[in-house]
Each structure stands twice: as structure tokens, then as C-alpha cells.
Amino acid sequence: MTPPQPTAHTPRPTLGILGGGQLAQMLALAALPLGVRVLVLEPDPHAPARLCAEHLHAPYTDPAGLSRLAECSAVTLEFENVPTQALEALAGRVPVRPGAALLERTKHRAREKEALRAAGVGTAPFVVIESGADLAGALAAVGGRGILKTSELGYDGKGQARVESDAELNAAWASVKGAACVLEGLVPFVREVSLSVARTAAGQLAFGPLIENIHREGILRTSIFPATDADTLEPQARELARACAQAWALEGLMTLEFFVVEGRELLVNEVAPRVHNSGHLTQDGGGLSQFEAQVRAVLGLPLTDWRPLHPTAMVNLVGVADATGEPVHPDWGAIDALPGTRLHLYHKAWRAGRKLGHVNLVAADAEALAARLAELERLIP
Ligand code: AMP
């Protein structure tokens, strides 16, 4: 079939997305007003993006589904663990942004950390654990206290264990059945922040804002813009993001998560080759959103830096259960009644620990934001 060509009636390109979760949903919602049609390849029949994009309901490796994506102007993704087979099937037929080489790094913690170091970017001290022999002396080498993380398929604190002795390290490695891991030294951070960078295929760079992040049980709870000490930290974060984007020949958008050490130095915790949960607050702060930024970067549309025009925060809606396992719901009416809130739901079935939506909060100044954020936090379990 001939790929769709831009015409007077369809002047804009089409975007394919590997994955149809909430990030794809919000990418599609940002793409539609630009005149961009969106196709998502996603095996889950109830995936959030099905309601606002053409849903190719098939496995990520399905040849017919991949052929439909190959007809798009460009393909992007909403998760890092895209099967290699899918990337190989698309190679040479349609630009995939970010591309296979960058994804090979970001989906594997050890490779990612080595590539960060090679780009001149600081990380936590780490030792790669691939065999029993690697365990000897590893904990001492990272400072005596650490976190063992599986190199692949870990997110939101999953596949991680804190260890403070060699016995705990051995037990943690046994509990992941000897999977390839990274042992990281425990970083005494004072805060966590994140920043996204986008780069077009022509090499044009643009940056998102520095955002401050607060986690609960390994899952992001709250994000705030502007971040504490942004005046000194944001220029550093941008330089580190620029170094990575250029060294890794980024096409599309990626997000760096940082630890702030002693209030001034930034170490990179991890890199996501896509929009990020922390950047959801850019949907309502008044500037360009991270979702539109990714769409523009991937399709080569004009792109500028993006940042909220007003102080903005985001609180995640994560499924919380009471002692009997029953859902504890947010106070929906009070959330809607709080000035400056905007609700974003993902059309997912409730499950404890599952991200179901988020609430953005915008205020005229930092003081009003802090006061309303404290109120909002009380309304969300
Ligand atoms: P991750 O899945 O690597 O993003 O880790 C989830 C959260 O665990 C991070 O946002 C931090 O709050 C915490 N964490 C991860 N790695 C470290 C580390 N090396 N030192 C201290 N805290 C960490």
C-alpha cells in the first residue's frame, strides 16, 4: 500500500506509537489538534489510548500491525522495553524515534549507566553483577550500603532491594534468581528532580523545565514546578541532558531523573526514552506540554523549549486499598471544587498500586500553590 502523502486536505503527518497506555493516550490527545492522526499498536483490548487513536489491537511483534505503523510518517514509543523484533521489522521502513541504539541502552540499567559515564554524566557508584563471583567485595566498593536492581524490566521500585550486608546482598541476588543486576551505592540525596530534552532528526535541541519529585513507596506521588534551587540546578541539568542527547544522537524526547546531592551536585538515577510522569504537570501550566513536545520532535515540526507559565503541581492517583482490600477513593467532589485543579483519568480498571490518573494544580504564585497542594494531598489517598 502507498504510504499516506500530505495533501491540501491532510497537511499533517501520521504518528505511530508502540504501546497504548496512558502516555500514548496523552500523546494522541496532544497530536490531534496539530492535525496529526495517531495509530497505536497495543495488545491490551482495554488500553487507555484506544479511545483517542486508531487502535491496532495486536502483539507488538505482529507483522500486519507493524506494517500499518510502517506507513506512518514516524513511529515513537511510550515504554522502553519494545521487543527487538518489532524494531527490526520497522528498520529501514519508517523512522523510529528514539531509535534502536538508544533503546538498547535505556532498557538495560548497566548499559545505561556505562553510557552515562561515557557521556561525562555522573551516576551513583555501581558494580555490575552478572555472576556469583561479582558479588565478592561489591558492597564495599559502592560504600557499604546499596540497592540491588535488576538490569532489565524494573520500574517504579520493582525488582529492587536495599542491602546493608554481604548476607543481604547474596539473599537479594538469590531472590531474583541470579538475574543480571546492578548494585548501586545508596545516594544520600536531598531531593529528586527531572528534566526532559527533545532533539529533532536535524539536530535541533529543546528542553523542558526542571521539576521536583516526591516518591512514596518507590512510586512518584507529587511533582512540583518550579523546583527548589532551580536557578542553580536547572542550568546544570540542561548541560547534562544536552551532553546525553548529543552523545546518544537522540531523535525524539527523553527524560533524565536526577538525585540532588548536598543541594548542588546532580547525579543521574535513570533515563526514560520518552515523556515522563513528572512532566504531566506541563499539560496545564499554560506552556507547551511535554506530549506536544515529543510529537513535534518526532515529526520534525517546529519546536521550542517548553515550561509552565505559572507555578504548577501534579499528584498521582494510584489505586489504594483499605485493610480488607477494598478501594479507598479520592474525594472527587472536593478535588473538582479546589480552584486550579484539572483531572486526568486513564480509563483503567482499579487495582491497588496501579496508576489510574493524576490531578494537575495551577496557581498564580508559589505561596498559593503550596497552600492548595497541601489541601489537594489530603483529598487523595
Ligand atoms: P528507580 O526505579 O531506579 O527510579 O528507583 C525508584 C526510587 O528509589 C528513586 O526515585 C529513589 O527515590 C530511590 N532510589 C533508587 N536508587 C537509589 C540510590 N542509588 N540511592 C538512593 N535512593 C535510590
Side-chain angles (χ1 to χ4, degrees), residues 109 124 147 149 156-157 160 162 184-187 189 192 215 218 257 259 269-270:
R109 284 188 196 273
I147 304 190
K149 302 181 177 180
D156 285 346
Q160 301 189 8
R162 291 199 173 214
E184 292 181 20
L186 202 63
V187 175
F189 62 81
E192 293 183 81
H215 292 81
E257 296 177 12
F259 297 127
N269 174 30
E270 62 180 359

Side-chain angles (χ1 to χ4, degrees), residues 136-159:
L139 194 58
V142 300
R145 294 200 301 157
I147 304 190
L148 185 73
K149 302 181 177 180
T150 53
S151 264
E152 291 185 275
L153 298 175
Y155 68 96
D156 285 346
K158 294 185 174 68

Side-chain angles (χ1 to χ4, degrees), residues 358-374:
H358 64 274
V359 182
N360 286 339
L361 174 65
V362 188
D365 55 60
E367 238 170 52
L369 186 77
R372 287 197 199 130
L373 180 57

Side-chain angles (χ1 to χ4, degrees), residues 209 211 279-291 306 308 312 360:
I211 296 171
H280 293 1
L281 56 73
T282 60
Q283 288 172 307
D284 293 311
L288 189 75
S289 78
Q290 63 166 352
F291 301 100
W306 65 100
T312 312
N360 286 339

